[in-house]
Amino acid sequence: MIPIRKGKQLDMMRTAGRVASEVLQRVAREVRPGVTTREIDEAAAQFMAEAGCISAFLGYRDFPGQICISLNEEVVHGIGGDRRIQYGDIVKIDVGVIKDGWVGDNALTVPVGEIPPEVRRLLEVTEESLHVAIDRARAGRKLGDLCHSVEKHVLDNHMSVVREFVGHGVGRKLHEEPQIPNHGRPGTGPRLQEGMILAIEPMVNLGTEKVKILADNWTVVTLDGKPSAHFEHTVLVTADEPEILTWRERLAAV
Ligand code: MG
């Protein structure tokens, strides 16, 4: 069963989403050449404490980080460590928080200085595919419509979607029903209803869709070493316009 949220529960989720977005944007501003990913993770811990929330990721299946921070060929689930951010990198930051028992989850990809045009396009296409999907998060539509729209936008731009990892319902727990793959068949799957809350998160590769997991058992990397991008929002299905609970202004193009 996909949970339906209303009333006070929705207010709690709106707060969790807003806080997740604020923390993510503060963390994103810490990204610059010379900083290690561990330093970013430590900054995230401080921002969460200041916001009165805790990480939804730390300790989840023993995940050791406050946030997921993944560079270049790393797709998702990177762990803060000694790797130093360099000019020309792309940095994926995924922030999930628990605020008063409710979870907000969001992610973005930050370019560090000048990046090659094809990588810039990768970021654009990934973020566009997120918003294409969000536009289909409407009551009465089938989940498969949303999933298919991501893959279509990506394939139309000659890039590939990661199939092994998926978006998810979110609420009391980080991962609730339904699973939200970034591919699917239109007209299939559950019918979306007002009050469902979806974490939609396209992961898009410039090269092959194939990925592998590193020896740390967490970090997902592209098999061909080419870059990957990731954007995510927590979205409420309403009777009308989808409501992005983790709303942020888009980062200006570099
Ligand atoms: Mg997520």
Side-chain angles (χ1 to χ4, degrees):
M1 278 292 289
I2 304 174
I4 303 288
R5 308 296 184 185
K6 46 184 114 170
K8 173 95 173 121
Q9 296 189 332
L10 272 188
D11 293 339
M12 302 297 278
M13 278 301 290
R14 287 191 175 101
T15 301
R18 180 174 48 75
V19 170
S21 172
E22 287 167 1
V23 171
L24 175 61
Q25 291 176 83
R26 287 190 75 184
V27 173
R29 287 198 290 272
E30 296 299 310
V31 170
R32 55 183 172 272
V35 174
T36 67
T37 55
R38 178 178 290 110
E39 288 168 330
I40 306 265
D41 194 75
E42 289 167 355
Q46 185 188 328
F47 299 152
M48 288 183 207
E50 288 171 10
C53 63
I54 60 170
S55 170
F57 300 164
L58 181 67
Y60 182 88
R61 296 184 184 151
D62 294 327
F63 184 77
Q66 298 281 343
I67 60 172
C68 297
I69 180 162
S70 314
L71 271 54
N72 302 330
E73 80 288 356
E74 297 170 351
V75 179
V76 286
H77 302 165
I79 302 164
D82 295 330
R83 196 167 172 182
R84 213 170 273 284
I85 292 168
Q86 296 180 32
Y87 193 86
D89 282 347
I90 57 170
V91 182
K92 280 133 280 179
I93 297 172
D94 194 342
V95 167
V97 304
I98 306 173
K99 173 73 175 172
D100 301 327
W102 295 83
V103 179
D105 191 8
N106 60 170
L108 51 70
T109 305
V110 185
V112 183
E114 196 73 19
I115 59 173
E118 69 271 20
V119 181
R120 184 181 307 182
R121 187 67 191 132
L122 169 70
L123 270 53
E124 288 171 358
V125 167
T126 309
E127 191 170 19
E128 286 163 9
S129 72
L130 169 60
H131 285 278
V132 164
I134 289 171
D135 191 52
R136 285 159 177 76
R138 292 171 187 269
R141 291 203 77 139
K142 293 290 189 77
L143 183 65
D145 297 354
L146 184 159
C147 300
H148 171 77
S149 71
V150 173
E151 183 177 42
K152 180 174 187 327
H153 186 70
V154 171
L155 293 183
D156 284 350
N157 285 279
H158 314 292
M159 298 172 189
S160 62
V161 293
V162 174
R163 302 173 88 88
E164 280 93 332
F165 298 89
V166 298
H168 48 93
V170 59
R172 277 287 194 188
K173 290 187 296 181
L174 176 60
H175 292 142
E176 298 187 348
E177 287 192 58
Q179 289 201 351
I180 308 174
N182 292 303
H183 61 91
R185 290 219 324 275
T188 65
R191 192 174 293 284
L192 299 179
Q193 291 177 47
E194 192 177 346
M196 291 180 177
I197 299 179
L198 311 174
I200 305 171
E201 47 178 324
M203 289 149 261
V204 178
N205 294 351
L206 204 50
T208 179
E209 67 183 37
K210 295 205 164 55
V211 298
K212 63 178 180 181
I213 298 176
L214 296 184
D216 64 13
N217 279 326
W218 279 106
T219 311
V220 179
V221 298
T222 57
L223 203 58
D224 59 8
K226 290 187 177 172
S228 181
H230 180 215
F231 286 85
E232 176 182 32
H233 272 305
T234 296
V235 179
L236 167 68
V237 178
T238 76
D240 190 10
E241 284 290 305
E243 184 178 330
I244 302 178
L245 302 186
T246 48
W247 176 255
R248 59 182 176 258
E249 294 299 321
R250 287 191 189 197
L251 294 180
V254 182

